[in-house]
Amino acid sequence: MKEKETSRSSFTGKLGFVLAAAGSAVGLGNLWRFPYLAAQYGGGIFLLVYVILAFTFGFTLMTTEIAIGRKTGKSAISAFGALDKRFAFIGGLSSIVPVIITPYYCVIGGWVTKYLGVYLSSAGRAAAEDGYFGAFISQPWQPLVWFFVFVLATSVVVILGVEKGIEKASKIMMPILLLLSIVIAIYSCTRPGAIDGILYYVRPDFSKLSVKTVLAALGQLFYSMSLAMGIMITYGSYMQKSTDLESSVRQIEFFDTLIAFLAGLMIIPAVFVFSGGDESAMGAGPGLMFITLPKVFLSMPGGQLIGGAFFFLVLFAALTSSISLMETIVSILMDRLGWNRLFSTVMSTIFVLLAGIPSSLGFGVWSHVTPLGMDILDFFDFLSNTLLMPIVSFLICFIVAYILKPDFIIEEAKAEGAAFRTEKFYRFMIRVVAPIGIVAIWVSSMAASLGLISL
Ligand code: PFF
């Protein structure tokens, strides 16, 4: 707890804060999850719904969470209790989210590490072959070993602490990731036959709009922007009062959405090119990035090198996110149980290592275990993103709108004379649109999933 206190307010200035928060936000959610969901849920319509939600719901929720963190100076689990004893359970609920996400996130992080290894060892050609990815994830040991490597890398940085580990590296790596993504996206989009894929991705087909699409986009939004799990509250507690909150939020969400959009542009047109325009290839799910990109790199001059650079940057983006996930679990243990940082990190690492095993084996020896018809990793993903996060977000909106009142947040956004240009919009979003919208989307989609209504 003491160590935690001394490391607060350690982000130096706005750029440091924005890049560190973007480092948490930009990760596998953008590069791995967004493209496969967009491909699965109808392309352009998913993109459109996502962007609308990002700049309305996303803005509102991120502003709220960061403001709560900065105002209370506490991490999520304590912040809610500090506002009002009756709200303490929201802290508890939101802290379940990283506990569910971190293990399976690290399993995917392991896949990325493996692909980096593939490109470093000049085996990019093999990775581009059909069936390579499926053969890899269905083995029992290999994916587990890469998963372990990824978890240990995460833990080492968490032990080193906030400032040294995250901030410095983000300043260099995030802009490079952006540049390389642009290069690869341009290459993918200029392949012969890519135009149909580009149209699929950017042109909304309203006949594919369903409430499930909206819920998937909402879940993706929470996930991608690291909302509803206390992370942004914790980051806000490290933010200086003099840093402009509104424009920081705008920049984080712009950067996050841009990277997701580019990831879609890298991957979706390429799926069209390499499947010969077969739309059913769009439903590949979690494997999409790993199946498609090696084919892109194989066809590219210098693809082995570019593939290596790309997976290196994805690995970095995944690490900055997994670090912030692990950091949240560690800070919960420190706050609640009074353990020191080292011991809390060791215990979290052991937990993540054990809890990730089923998600990893679920693609191979445990593929017969299919809760609610999903494989194990998808099931955890569903639990956190579709079930828990909307509930947590609704509760946050509700207490801010009707118990604490929006001025509580607005005053914080205006600290030290900062402007809050979208104050009216914020007020309307937090009181009306966000809480009603979240409940409406969530309830109707659940009802549709259970077959109670057809949408
Ligand atoms: N936002 C990260 C991503 O898009 O990959 C994932 C993530 C990181 C989720 C940190 C949650 C979190 F707390």
Side-chain angles (χ1 to χ4, degrees):
M1 185 123 185
K2 292 238 171 53
E3 279 181 64
K4 190 81 194 175
E5 293 306 326
T6 53
S7 61
R8 282 208 194 285
S9 298
S10 58
F11 291 129
T12 44
K14 184 170 168 204
L15 187 66
F17 175 76
V18 169
L19 285 175
S24 162
V26 174
L28 296 172
N30 310 62
L31 296 155
W32 157 75
R33 201 171 186 274
F34 182 85
Y36 89 73
L37 286 182
Q40 220 167 32
Y41 285 95
I45 191 67
F46 184 86
L47 180 65
L48 179 70
V49 171
Y50 182 82
V51 170
I52 293 174
L53 290 178
F55 289 93
T56 52
F57 286 55
F59 170 75
T60 308
L61 286 161
M62 191 181 284
T63 303
T64 305
E65 291 197 17
I66 293 178
I68 291 178
R70 190 165 75 173
K71 190 138 186 161
T72 58
K74 292 190 176 355
S75 60
I77 192 139
S78 325
F80 289 102
L83 291 173
D84 187 319
K85 286 237 156 34
R86 291 170 301 167
F87 304 158
F89 78 99
I90 304 178
L93 210 56
S94 69
S95 57
I96 301 174
V97 177
V99 171
I100 299 176
I101 291 185
T102 314
Y104 86 78
Y105 198 87
C106 292
V107 170
I108 314 285
W111 297 352
V112 174
T113 318
K114 148 88 183 175
Y115 271 65
L116 174 62
V118 163
Y119 280 89
L120 291 181
S121 65
S122 309
R125 179 171 292 277
E129 276 165 23
D130 288 337
Y132 181 90
F133 177 72
F136 163 60
I137 56 166
S138 56
Q139 292 169 26
W141 288 107
Q142 258 222 53
L144 278 180
V145 170
W146 292 107
F147 158 66
F148 277 38
V149 170
F150 185 85
V151 175
L152 293 182
T154 303
S155 307
V156 167
V157 182
V158 172
I159 290 172
L160 296 180
V162 171
E163 204 171 351
K164 278 181 268 163
I166 307 175
E167 188 173 349
K168 279 190 193 149
S170 292
K171 281 187 178 161
I172 310 166
M173 302 289 229
M174 286 292 135
I176 306 181
L177 177 66
L178 180 63
L179 280 180
L180 192 66
S181 301
I182 293 174
V183 171
I184 299 172
I186 292 175
Y187 180 81
S188 276
C189 290
T190 49
R191 289 313 82 208
I195 187 70
D196 291 336
I198 299 174
L199 289 176
Y200 178 84
Y201 180 46
V202 299
R203 197 169 54 187
D205 172 355
F206 286 90
S207 70
K208 292 192 173 130
L209 179 62
S210 75
V211 68
K212 280 190 187 164
T213 308
V214 183
L215 184 66
L218 191 68
Q220 170 61 18
L221 172 73
F222 297 144
Y223 187 91
S224 185
M225 296 201 176
S226 305
L227 297 170
M229 64 191 88
I231 295 224
M232 286 299 156
I233 296 181
T234 308
Y235 273 64
S237 73
Y238 297 134
M239 184 192 204
Q240 288 168 357
K241 287 273 181 201
S242 56
T243 303
D244 185 322
L245 205 150
E246 183 186 25
S247 71
S248 303
V249 170
R250 287 278 176 224
Q251 287 172 8
I252 300 164
E253 63 178 2
F254 175 75
F255 195 57
D256 190 72
T257 308
L258 180 66
I259 296 271
F261 176 70
L262 285 172
L265 269 187
M266 284 189 262
I267 294 172
I268 294 177
V271 178
F272 260 71
V273 172
F274 293 103
S275 67
D278 173 12
E279 267 200 30
S280 68
M282 289 294 176
L288 195 68
M289 168 175 126
F290 299 93
I291 296 168
T292 306
L293 283 180
K295 296 186 197 292
V296 175
F297 296 136
L298 184 65
S299 77
M300 224 172 167
Q304 181 79 28
L305 196 72
I306 295 181
F310 177 77
F311 280 108
F312 176 75
L313 291 166
V314 176
L315 178 63
F316 178 80
L319 273 172
T320 55
S321 299
S322 65
I323 289 160
S324 74
L325 281 162
M326 179 87 89
E327 173 78 37
T328 310
I329 303 181
V330 168
S331 70
I332 293 166
L333 295 178
M334 295 199 318
D335 278 5
R336 277 294 135 124
L337 303 176
W339 293 349
N340 67 26
R341 172 175 283 273
L342 182 62
F343 189 62
S344 306
T345 311
V346 171
M347 296 313 277
S348 310
T349 305
I350 295 173
F351 164 75
V352 171
L353 286 175
L354 293 176
I357 291 174
S359 292
S360 182
L361 295 183
F363 294 100
V365 287
W366 286 358
S367 57
H368 56 283
V369 183
T370 52
L372 299 180
M374 304 171 204
D375 58 54
I376 302 174
L377 189 148
D378 268 342
F379 175 69
F380 285 124
D381 187 271
F382 168 83
L383 273 189
S384 57
N385 308 331
T386 313
L387 222 56
L388 261 176
M389 286 169 148
I391 297 176
V392 172
S393 297
F394 167 77
L395 289 169
I396 295 177
C397 288
F398 184 82
I399 61 163
V400 168
Y402 297 105
I403 304 180
L404 300 169
K405 306 290 182 213
D407 283 323
F408 181 84
I409 301 296
I410 291 168
E411 272 162 24
E412 185 58 36
K414 287 179 165 173
E416 301 199 352
F420 191 22
R421 285 175 294 275
T422 43
E423 180 180 333
K424 284 212 180 89
F425 172 75
Y426 175 82
R427 227 180 258 284
F428 182 59
M429 279 301 301
I430 193 87
R431 291 179 54 200
V432 184
V433 184
I436 296 178
I438 294 170
V439 172
I441 296 166
W442 193 82
V443 170
S444 47
S445 175
M446 285 300 139
S449 303
L450 297 173
L452 300 177
I453 51 173
S454 66
L455 287 163

